[in-house]
Amino acid sequence: MKKGAYSFNKIEKKWQQFWQQNSTFKAQDCNASKPKYYVLDMFPYPSAQGLHVGHPEGYTASDIFARYKRMKGFNVLHPMGWDAFGLPAEQYAVESGTHPAETTRKNVDSMRRQIMSLGFSYDWDREVNTTDPGYYKWTQWVFLKMFNSYFDETEQKARPIEQLPIPDGLTEAARQQYIDDHRLAYEAEVPVNWCPALGTVLANEEVVGGLSERGGHPVIRKPMRQWMLRITKYAERLLEDLAEVDWPESIKKLQIDWIGKSVGADVKFEVPGCDWDIWIFTTRPDTLFGATYMVLAPELDLVDMITTAEHKEAVDKYREEAARKSDLDRTDLAKEKTGVFTGGYAINPVNGAKIPIWISDYVLISYGFGAIMAVPAHDTRDFEFANELNLPIIPVVEPEDKEQADLVKKGELCFVGDGRAINSGQFDGLSTPEFKEQITNWLAERDLGRKAVNYKLRDWLFSRQRYWGEPFPILHAEDGRVLGLSEEDLPLVLPEVQSYKPSGTGEPPLANIDDWVNVTLPDGSRVKRETNTMPQWAGSCWYYLRYLDPNNVDRGWDSEKENYWMPVDLYIGGAEHAVLHLLYSRFWHKFLYDLGYVSTKEPFKKLVNQGMILGEDGQKMSKSRGNVINPDKVVADYGADSMRLYEMFMGPLEATKPWNMQGVEGVHRFLQRLWRMIIDEDTGELDGAIQEADTDEATLRLLHQTIKKVGDDNESFGFNTAISQMMIFVNHLTKQTVRPKSVIEKFILILSPFAPHIAEELWEKLGHTETLAYESWPQYDKELIKEKEIELVVQVNGRIKDRIVVSAEADEDQIKQQALASEKVTAALAGKQPKKIIVIKSRLVNIVI
RNA sequence: GCCGAAGUGGCGGAACUGGCAGACGCGCGGGACUCAAAAUCCCGUCCUGGCAACAGGGUGUGGGUUCGAAUCCCACCUUCGGCACCA
């Protein structure tokens, strides 16, 4: 190897040390002299496997943008931290006895080293770790705030629980109950997803097809006492404020679907001989005349009261079976609907018809009232059920399509679209939307129903029966009261345990530590600590706020700093967090907004998702397939700059794309060429071609075109095309025997966000003594970009016949003349008169004959 | 089943707002340098026919709009991602 060759290992180490020693990327709080810009990465879970090549993709994109913004004069906040609570470290602890904190520390150290080796411009002084008591103190604090708040329905916002209006005349116990029932963090006995293998409860989102997302173990339904967060109160705002954020439409859509708003009516069905009614929710009140039976969820308490003696045995049996079914079974059996008749009847409020009441597990307890009216003619599920069990079908909506209408009328087709009302008494002939409105009013006037809105979104199941999570700052008194710790007692530190194993009965590991669980209060009363811990999502709900003020011991974050930095201007991460993390943190943010702790409605202004990187075989990377690419190896063999450049050159940021090691060599060769273009490899000094000289026109034009293209592409995250433009530039300049220094310098600056190490090194070789991180981004000159002469394509009837070169100033007539003058064109015209000549300046001429 | 994204050379991918399809990179073929190899440099590379000039075809499939379609419209096929009885 020659003395002055591109020695990326040395160069990269040198500049990483330089940046660290000089705190080059330290963000300045509240600096009013510059506009701020907050670039955030989704922080990683520090796993034992370390970084995979998917991580650096998003991190490189955000780093390029952060560096670009600095050069554009912004005060940039670009932090990194660790989402370090979670199952793997705990599983490892169960197996090996190693404290999760120790595993975590080791993994964090190794992943930090890996991330640092890529030369990202993070302000490392702001590093956070969710498992640090100094951090989770404030996670617990937010939880306490939720525990001590309620949701004011009229104002649609959270308020301190002390302000909750309490009805008069309640006993002390009832008063307490009333308050507890309104807390945003509350306890409930709920059927949960219990995973015996993991020994914990999982959130709905963590169960995939009846199996646990992690590990793929079976999950069953089981009622347990759990902590819940009332995210449903925020459903409407979570939906509405999506309009405010600059996110990919597909991600917004996923959230909208997850929230699942539907508008319809609640309708009351009386049960003869009973003094209570069955309420149902429907989005199709216009089909009420077609309701031929009702279905209740098997779990509904009401079922007991409705079931007649002769049907009791069958009903009880069915209910028992339904309760035993796991979600997987329920999904599997969804193909064939089952159910039993209760013996009870209800009265259809619109026509007084007596209709039978059934139970079936196709009706969900957790949505609406857990009861439905069944309109088999116009609901596919009811249609299937009615056919299965031979129940009557009455068509009440006539489709426009004649053929369809005939089938619907015969009861052979289930039609769920809009149409005209039939068999609906005085409402016959109305269109579906008209009917909906009229019948809703009709019901409301008679006190039989009301307009209603329902959401699919459920309250967030917030407790886990695990060790490695934030302990709840909650005490349980002997009389059943639930007390929040006072803020001064935070953090409630996770205690040491003998065994990390869950008890298997649902009791978390913390329950085994008697002297931690049992607490005597100053007044002598004895209480027990909550032994559940929070889910991994908790710490990531607000970490972007902690970066603003990571060392503050008195507050989670300073409000002046919050005002300055928030919102996050750019958030880059994987699309797999589209609903979970992004919905949860928006919820927490809105809650904090209500209480005045943050100044913006939404935390993340712009969101960009990086796509997945596949293995070289085009398959998802996995250990078992043996196609995992180790970033350490890539950095060792080709350097961090090559790695960064390749990850961006592969294709559009959001796309899924396969890795190709030869592609890495390709960009590496580009850097080599760039190096030799500037440095004489024999001496290590500047090449003789680098001179203080005037620039030829073509080079100057290409330089300015490149500055423009790279800048524009940076703004739109089109890093792949920015890199190809830089390659075009280097290909051109390498051929020049004189390479003006001023041209080289400008080029180094625009390359620097992509390949910062080599850029800094060359910048220094060019005689600069300061880092280029804060040099201003080169400007381009519009005039210099313009070509003097333009090649146009000449078509005859859309087929290319010739090319002509015209002056950039030529007007349409001149271009026409020149085009018609072409010999090839004359030949193609074969003497015919052109009907029309279309001239698109700087593009083409099309002669139509 | 429903929703969303995407289908372009041997491969990753370019193509502004409807205007030269295939930029840039990989791979491949040929050449230079070398005793030889690596590295590097130069030339070529969508397909078919032709020595060539050139002609024809070509952006998942089939139709349509237009002087002109990878780009817009309709129908369909395939792949990937998400949801999964939410009344």
Side-chain angles (χ1 to χ4, degrees):
Chain A
M1 179 125 120
K2 289 180 181 167
K3 176 180 154 214
Y6 170 42
S7 168
F8 54 86
N9 279 323
K10 248 198 259 163
I11 293 171
E12 290 175 359
K13 200 175 282 164
K14 166 181 164 186
W15 288 101
Q16 283 164 18
Q17 273 173 14
F18 176 92
W19 296 325
Q20 202 173 357
Q21 279 161 12
N22 293 278
S23 300
T24 305
F25 304 114
K26 198 169 175 57
Q28 303 139 21
D29 288 322
C30 307
N31 178 342
S33 69
K34 283 184 182 182
K36 70 93 185 179
Y37 203 88
Y38 188 173
V39 184
L40 182 66
D41 287 303
M42 288 185 186
F43 65 165
Y45 173 77
S47 79
Q49 283 81 46
L51 227 51
H52 58 82
V53 289
H55 284 120
E57 189 191 11
Y59 300 164
T60 303
S62 63
D63 193 60
I64 289 167
F65 206 76
R67 287 175 180 271
Y68 169 69
K69 279 286 175 182
R70 278 190 205 98
M71 296 175 80
K72 289 290 251 183
F74 287 82
N75 181 23
V76 172
L77 173 57
H78 188 40
M80 183 42 77
W82 314 101
D83 188 15
F85 275 126
L87 276 178
E90 181 161 350
Q91 294 288 51
Y92 183 68
V94 170
E95 287 157 26
S96 71
T98 317
H99 197 291
E102 195 177 313
T103 314
T104 302
R105 186 169 358 95
K106 231 177 68 198
N107 291 347
V108 164
D109 285 345
S110 112
M111 259 175 87
R112 188 194 299 107
R113 179 195 58 73
Q114 287 188 297
I115 288 178
M116 281 182 156
S117 78
L118 286 158
F120 298 131
S121 63
Y122 294 121
D123 178 352
W124 284 104
D125 294 346
R126 293 173 188 262
E127 183 178 347
V128 302
N129 182 326
T130 55
T131 65
D132 180 350
Y135 180 94
Y136 69 67
K137 169 179 178 175
W138 301 104
T139 311
Q140 292 172 331
W141 176 83
V142 178
F143 175 84
L144 261 189
K145 287 286 177 203
M146 288 206 177
F147 179 72
N148 289 319
S149 299
Y150 77 103
F151 195 79
D152 184 325
E153 299 286 350
T154 46
E155 288 194 30
Q156 282 291 300
K157 61 177 276 201
R159 302 175 72 162
I161 199 84
E162 297 79 38
Q163 296 173 16
L164 176 68
I166 295 171
D168 292 334
L170 295 183
T171 63
E172 181 49 33
R175 213 183 88 89
Q176 203 54 53
Q177 189 62 52
Y178 186 86
I179 293 173
D180 286 348
D181 285 348
H182 285 82
R183 297 178 186 278
L184 285 179
Y186 65 101
E187 278 186 297
E189 187 80 23
V190 284
V192 296
N193 305 302
W194 167 251
C195 177
L198 294 174
T200 187
V201 158
L202 301 169
N204 286 333
E205 302 85 289
E206 293 170 301
V207 183
V208 179
L211 301 173
S212 65
E213 190 183 20
R214 255 176 224 270
H217 305 292
V219 175
I220 57 164
R221 305 286 289 175
K222 179 177 170 184
M224 284 178 84
R225 184 190 61 81
Q226 297 291 326
W227 280 96
M228 308 287 291
L229 299 185
R230 256 184 244 283
I231 189 172
T232 49
K233 294 289 180 193
Y234 284 83
E236 192 59 40
R237 283 168 60 189
L238 287 168
L239 197 59
E240 259 174 29
D241 292 344
L242 281 174
E244 281 190 15
V245 294
D246 179 10
W247 289 15
E249 284 306 316
S250 58
I251 299 289
K252 286 191 187 184
K253 184 77 170 47
L254 284 175
Q255 292 220 346
I256 290 168
D257 289 349
W258 192 264
I259 294 166
K261 180 180 183 175
S262 8
V263 179
D266 291 343
V267 185
K268 182 166 80 175
F269 284 68
E270 287 174 12
V271 181
C274 292
D275 47 9
W276 38 261
D277 315 301
I278 300 175
W279 281 87
I280 59 104
F281 169 75
T282 178
T283 55
R284 295 298 299 272
D286 62 296
T287 61
L288 261 162
F289 285 87
T292 53
Y293 60 99
M294 298 190 82
V295 188
L296 309 184
E299 301 95 327
L300 208 63
D301 291 338
L302 222 56
V303 175
D304 277 329
M305 298 189 262
I306 283 167
T307 307
T308 57
E310 64 178 310
H311 291 94
K312 190 168 183 338
E313 201 181 324
V315 167
D316 285 350
K317 186 162 166 266
Y318 187 85
R319 296 180 85 185
E320 208 177 296
E321 278 168 10
R324 266 211 314 270
K325 274 186 202 170
S326 68
D327 272 10
L328 182 62
D329 294 337
R330 271 198 168 189
T331 317
D332 266 2
L333 295 174
K335 287 155 204 151
E336 227 167 76
K337 297 214 170 1
T338 58
V340 292
F341 179 44
T342 61
Y345 289 87
I347 302 298
N348 188 333
V350 293
N351 58 8
K354 199 173 152 192
I355 57 174
I357 304 169
W358 288 66
I359 61 170
S360 171
D361 60 7
Y362 85 89
V363 172
L364 306 175
I365 180 79
S366 47
Y367 186 77
F369 297 95
I372 62 154
M373 67 164 183
V375 185
H378 306 290
D379 181 289
T380 47
R381 298 151 300 182
D382 299 343
F383 186 75
E384 279 170 34
F385 189 78
N387 279 330
E388 205 85 46
L389 294 146
N390 256 321
L391 291 158
I393 298 170
I394 303 176
V396 291
V397 182
E398 184 179 19
E400 206 167 312
D401 183 291
K402 257 248 160 313
E403 222 169 291
Q404 281 190 12
D406 286 346
L407 290 171
V408 170
K409 282 179 186 165
K410 278 190 258 172
E412 285 168 14
L413 179 73
C414 172
F415 176 72
V416 297
D418 285 5
R420 297 250 156 227
I422 50 171
N423 298 328
S424 297
Q426 73 271 34
F427 298 99
D428 276 357
L430 287 178
S431 74
T432 300
E434 284 170 337
F435 194 172
K436 275 186 188 174
E437 199 183 322
Q438 288 194 21
I439 191 80
T440 307
N441 293 334
W442 187 93
L443 289 165
E445 282 160 18
R446 286 158 184 77
D447 218 14
L448 294 168
R450 59 188 172 234
K451 194 175 180 206
V453 174
N454 256 292
Y455 301 91
K456 280 197 223 173
L457 186 68
R458 307 291 150 80
D459 275 344
W460 177 8
L461 197 151
F462 195 66
S463 40
R464 298 296 127 95
Q465 292 66 54
R466 308 294 305 193
Y467 171 74
W468 193 228
E470 299 87 346
F472 282 85
I474 291 290
L475 299 168
H476 296 274
E478 277 174 337
D479 61 6
R481 280 184 313 135
V482 181
L483 313 168
L485 291 188
S486 69
E487 288 177 18
E488 297 82 75
D489 293 333
L490 300 181
L492 172 60
V493 176
L494 202 52
E496 299 295 320
V497 283
Q498 291 291 312
S499 161
Y500 303 100
K501 279 203 177 89
S503 62
T505 59
E507 283 292 297
L510 290 180
N512 299 327
I513 325 171
D514 287 346
D515 56 350
W516 183 78
V517 171
N518 296 299
V519 177
T520 307
L521 293 182
D523 68 358
S525 62
R526 299 176 57 81
V527 296
K528 282 184 186 298
R529 285 193 197 281
E530 172 62 56
T531 55
N532 281 306
T533 54
M534 299 185 198
Q536 194 180 354
W537 308 110
S540 60
C541 271
W542 70 282
Y543 73 112
Y544 57 92
L545 292 168
R546 190 58 178 172
Y547 285 136
L548 311 180
D549 200 6
N551 301 313
N552 197 329
V553 290
D554 302 316
R555 274 185 286 172
W557 57 90
D558 177 77
S559 58
E560 198 187 331
K561 291 175 184 169
E562 188 277 330
N563 249 297
Y564 178 78
W565 286 116
M566 285 298 286
V568 172
D569 295 283
L570 173 65
Y571 195 20
I572 296 189
E576 66 272 19
H577 293 113
V579 275
L580 306 182
H581 161 63
L582 287 170
L583 197 66
Y584 292 156
S585 52
R586 290 180 63 219
F587 159 49
W588 276 40
H589 193 83
K590 287 184 185 303
F591 167 72
L592 292 167
Y593 176 76
D594 287 349
L595 297 191
Y597 291 109
V598 297
S599 56
T600 63
K601 278 195 200 170
E602 286 288 330
F604 314 121
K605 197 153 108 192
K606 183 177 176 68
L607 176 74
V608 174
N609 290 122
Q610 87 264 14
M612 206 190 343
I613 294 183
L614 305 173
E616 296 201 84
D617 53 1
Q619 302 281 95
K620 222 173 185 163
M621 276 192 205
S622 77
K623 253 196 217 162
S624 57
R625 285 204 187 87
N627 60 355
V628 176
I629 302 291
N630 181 351
D632 284 348
K633 173 116 173 69
V634 179
V635 171
D637 292 351
Y638 301 100
D641 284 336
S642 294
M643 168 89 181
R644 293 169 59 112
L645 222 42
Y646 176 64
E647 292 234 2
M648 295 299 100
F649 188 61
M650 289 171 82
L653 186 57
E654 324 79 44
T656 302
K657 43 213 178 274
W659 187 269
N660 177 3
M661 212 47 106
Q662 281 168 332
V664 185
E665 283 182 44
V667 292
H668 184 69
R669 281 202 283 265
F670 162 68
L671 291 180
Q672 292 276 14
R673 220 160 41 238
L674 167 79
W675 181 265
R676 289 194 307 267
M677 179 176 94
I678 299 169
I679 302 297
D680 180 339
E681 284 193 292
D682 293 324
T683 62
E685 298 306 315
L686 284 187
D687 191 278
I690 312 296
Q691 296 166 20
E692 309 272 359
D694 285 341
T695 313
D696 66 281
E697 197 184 300
T699 301
L700 200 60
R701 182 160 54 237
L702 185 60
L703 173 70
H704 283 257
Q705 283 170 343
T706 303
I707 293 170
K708 174 168 165 41
K709 171 97 177 126
V710 173
D712 289 353
D713 284 352
N714 281 351
E715 297 285 350
S716 58
F717 304 93
F719 302 126
N720 53 332
T721 46
I723 292 168
S724 83
Q725 180 66 32
M726 291 189 281
M727 287 173 168
I728 291 170
F729 179 83
V730 169
N731 287 347
H732 168 84
L733 201 60
T734 331
K735 291 186 189 115
Q736 311 304 312
T737 45
V738 175
R739 301 168 203 143
K741 195 173 163 203
S742 62
V743 171
I744 296 279
E745 285 188 329
K746 288 203 171 90
F747 180 75
I748 294 298
L749 290 179
I750 61 167
L751 173 79
S752 69
F754 295 80
H757 309 89
I758 193 174
E760 289 271 23
E761 183 69 15
L762 291 171
W763 189 247
E764 190 183 65
K765 296 263 189 203
L766 286 162
H768 299 276
T769 51
E770 300 267 320
T771 171
L772 51 60
Y774 292 92
E775 290 295 321
S776 49
W777 185 259
Q779 303 230 325
Y780 63 87
D781 184 332
K782 268 189 201 155
E783 291 305 310
L784 291 175
I785 287 177
K786 287 186 188 156
E787 307 274 351
K788 288 245 167 76
E789 290 187 320
I790 301 162
E791 194 188 63
L792 296 185
V793 164
V794 184
Q795 300 177 330
V796 175
N797 277 351
R799 310 194 70 90
I800 296 166
K801 291 298 170 191
D802 199 6
R803 285 154 213 276
I804 54 172
V805 175
V806 300
S807 138
E809 280 98 50
D811 64 19
E812 242 176 68
D813 275 342
Q814 288 172 307
I815 294 173
K816 273 186 198 173
Q817 292 311 317
Q818 212 173 323
L820 288 168
S822 150
E823 269 174 44
K824 287 179 186 167
V825 170
T826 326
L829 289 178
K832 289 187 192 134
Q833 269 307 308
K835 280 190 196 141
K836 199 169 166 192
I837 301 177
I838 295 150
V839 177
I840 307 293
K841 272 197 175 180
S842 81
R843 294 277 173 208
L844 55 67
V845 181
N846 189 9
I847 301 168
V848 186
I849 53 174

